Amino acid sequence: QVQLVESGGGLVQTGGSLRLSCAASGRRFSTYPMAWFRQAPGKERDFVAVISSTGGTAYYADSVKGRFTISRDNAKNTVYLQMNSLKPEDTAAYICAADPSGDYHYGDAYVYWGQGTQVTVSS
């Protein structure tokens, strides 16, 4: 079992930055990949980024590549999402997920989810 708690969301102006955190507990954190998804009102949940268990490899959605950076601190059982150059279309609830089984792009691959943290980007 893995429990996930996100933090760090808020309201920011276009072009601003935020750093999200997701703290994990339960199974040994360093043994599984972690990911971020986002879901805007009335839209489907979309993949944002994933990072390997060691932090050595990361993949991003095209929409955030070059602006967002996923990282992890295995000593602190925490994964981060640094978001720069934010745009109004980045407005969504950001949700972390753990330990995918299958294609990491798809939410169905994940069993463990946090509750989400809201990010609102004003124009």
Side-chain angles (χ1 to χ4, degrees), residues 4-16:
L4 303 170
V5 179
E6 301 96 335
S7 61
L11 174 65
V12 64
Q13 292 185 333
T14 296

Side-chain angles (χ1 to χ4, degrees), residues 44-61:
E44 293 187 353
R45 184 174 52 194
D46 291 330
F47 168 78
V48 174
V50 65
I51 189 166
S52 64
S53 59
T54 62
T57 304
Y59 298 99
Y60 298 88

Side-chain angles (χ1 to χ4, degrees), residues 67-86:
R67 299 187 299 124
F68 291 10
T69 302
I70 189 171
S71 63
R72 65 190 295 160
D73 185 337
N74 285 350
K76 296 183 177 180
N77 292 352
T78 302
V79 64
Y80 304 98
L81 186 68
Q82 177 67 44
M83 305 185 296
N84 299 329
S85 302
L86 282 161

